[in-house]
Amino acid sequence: MKEIANLLGYRESVKVLDATIRDGGLVNNFFFDDKLVKALYQTNIKAGVDYMEVGYKASKEMFDVKKFGKWKFCDDDDIVDVIGEKDPRVKLAVMADVGRCDYKNDIQERANSPLDCIRVATYVNTMPAALDMIEDAKKKGYEVTCNIMAISTAQETDVKTALEMLGHSSVDVIYVVDSFGSLYPEQIARICDLYMEYGNKYGKQIGMHAHNNQQLAFANTIEAVGDGVNWLDATYAGMGRGAGNCSMENLISFLRNPKFNLYPVIDFIQKYMMPLKEKGEKWGYDLQYLMTGVLNQHPRTAIAFTKDGRTDYTEFYHEIVAQD
C-alpha cells in the first residue's frame, strides 16, 4: 500500500505539463485563435504550470499546411509572434513524431529557438529512429522526453527492451502513455513500477500521459504520482483526441504544492474552453470512447462515429467487436 504522504504531501520534483494545444489540436486540426494561445500561456504562468506544449513539429511535405493550423508545425517565428516575451517560469515544448517530422532541419539549435523541450513520440518498434531523434535534440541543447505510445498493445518484453535502450540514451524523461485509455490504476501501478525501475537504474525521470476513454485519466495520473512519477501531463477541460486527457483543473486541485493556483485555470476554462464547446468542438468521455477503451483499440473508429453524428451505439459495438 502506498504511503499516504505520497498523496497528501507534495514533492517539489513534480512537474506539470500543459498539452492542451498539442493534444487538443487533434480535435480542431490545430486551428486555435492566437488570442487563446496567448491567454493560455499567461494562464499557465499564473497557475504554476511548468511546461506548455505548443503543438507538433510536423513535416510540411507530409502534411498540407492549408488543412492544419500553425500549431501542427510550430514554426519558431509563429511561436515568438504569439507568445511574445517568454517568462522563465514556463518552458515551451513541442512533440515530434517518429516518421512524421523533418527534425534535422525543422528543429533549430536551442540557442536560436523559443523552445526548451522536445518530446519524441514513438512506438516500441520504431525505437531506433526515436533514439536518433533524441540524440539530435540533445546535441542541439534541448531537454528531451520520450513518449512510448500504445504500450497497452505491446509485449512486456518489448517494452523492457525499449526502456533499456532509452536508459542508455541521452533522454531526460520517459513517459508512460495510455494511448487508448484502456488501462486501470492497478495496471498503471505495475507499469510505473517497471518504468521507475529503469528510471532509477539509469537516472531518468518518469512521466504520465493518460487518456480518458474509461473516465480514468485523472485516477491513473494520481496513481502514477503515488508511484513516484514526477512529470504529469494534463489539458484544460480535458481537451484532447477523442475522450480527451487528464483535466488540468482536476490535477491542479489535487496537487498540494502551494505554487499551483486553481483560480486562473477555472477562469481560462470559462472564458475560452467553454466557448469552444459551444461552437461545436467535441471531445471528452462518451459511450463510443468507452467501448474502444474497453476493447483496447485505437479510438479512430469512435472519432469517426462522433464526427458522423451517429447514435447507434449497439451497432457500433458490434462493428468494433468484429474488428477485435
Side-chain angles (χ1 to χ4, degrees), residues 99-320:
R100 298 178 181 177
C101 63
D102 182 10
Y103 61 95
K104 291 185 178 180
N105 295 311
D106 290 341
I107 298 177
Q108 305 301 312
E109 295 284 338
R110 183 178 182 182
N112 303 322
S113 173
L115 297 169
D116 303 287
C117 179
I118 305 299
R119 283 156 57 88
V120 176
T122 183
Y123 297 98
V124 291
N125 64 303
T126 55
M127 190 56 63
L131 293 174
D132 191 62
M133 292 174 64
I134 289 167
E135 299 308 325
D136 180 80
K138 200 65 181 176
K139 287 177 183 177
K140 290 174 178 174
Y142 293 96
E143 296 177 55
V144 186
T145 77
C146 184
N147 289 32
I148 310 176
M149 299 182 291
I151 58 169
S152 60
T153 63
Q155 295 292 325
E156 185 170 316
T157 52
D158 292 340
V159 174
K160 287 181 178 179
T161 299
L163 292 172
E164 185 72 25
M165 296 169 73
L166 287 170
H168 290 284
S169 78
S170 299
V171 78
D172 298 295
V173 187
I174 305 170
Y175 263 85
V176 176
V177 184
D178 182 14
S179 298
F180 302 161
S182 63
L183 298 172
Y184 297 95
E186 293 83 356
Q187 294 170 295
I188 292 294
R190 188 172 66 84
I191 293 168
C192 286
D193 285 346
L194 175 64
Y195 277 55
M196 290 294 294
E197 176 186 339
Y198 283 87
N200 292 333
K201 179 179 178 180
Y202 292 106
K204 311 297 185 184
Q205 290 290 322
I206 305 301
M208 180 69 207
H209 182 89
H211 280 265
N212 204 39
N213 297 64
Q214 299 187 84
Q215 300 198 81
L216 290 172
F218 178 48
N220 285 339
T221 303
I222 289 177
E223 175 64 46
V225 173
D227 294 326
V229 170
N230 280 332
W231 283 55
L232 311 173
D233 286 11
T235 64
Y236 285 72
M239 186 180 189
R241 183 200 66 193
N245 303 82
C246 174
S247 67
M248 185 66 75
E249 56 272 26
N250 278 124
L251 185 58
I252 294 296
S253 299
F254 169 77
L255 294 172
R256 302 303 194 260
N257 191 329
K259 82 164 189 168
F260 295 117
N261 185 1
L262 178 62
Y263 178 77
V265 176
I266 296 172
D267 188 50
F268 180 85
I269 291 172
Q270 176 181 319
K271 291 179 179 177
Y272 293 95
M273 304 307 289
M274 290 182 177
L276 279 182
K277 285 209 165 189
E278 290 170 2
K279 290 178 182 178
E281 300 293 358
K282 293 183 179 181
W283 73 86
Y285 170 81
D286 212 334
L287 194 55
Q288 61 270 30
Y289 296 120
L290 168 70
M291 296 179 202
T292 58
V294 168
L295 293 173
N296 194 21
Q297 293 182 2
H298 192 288
R300 61 175 63 89
T301 53
I303 293 170
F305 179 95
T306 304
K307 287 183 178 179
D308 291 342
R310 292 176 58 181
T311 57
D312 54 334
Y313 296 99
T314 52
E315 178 59 29
F316 176 69
Y317 185 69
H318 288 313
E319 292 171 6
I320 62 175

Side-chain angles (χ1 to χ4, degrees), residues 68-87:
F68 298 95
K70 66 182 72 173
W71 307 109
K72 177 76 170 179
F73 309 100
C74 288
D75 291 341
D76 288 352
D77 290 343
D78 287 333
I79 297 171
V80 172
D81 287 344
V82 175
I83 297 298
E85 185 176 352
K86 282 183 63 179
D87 189 299

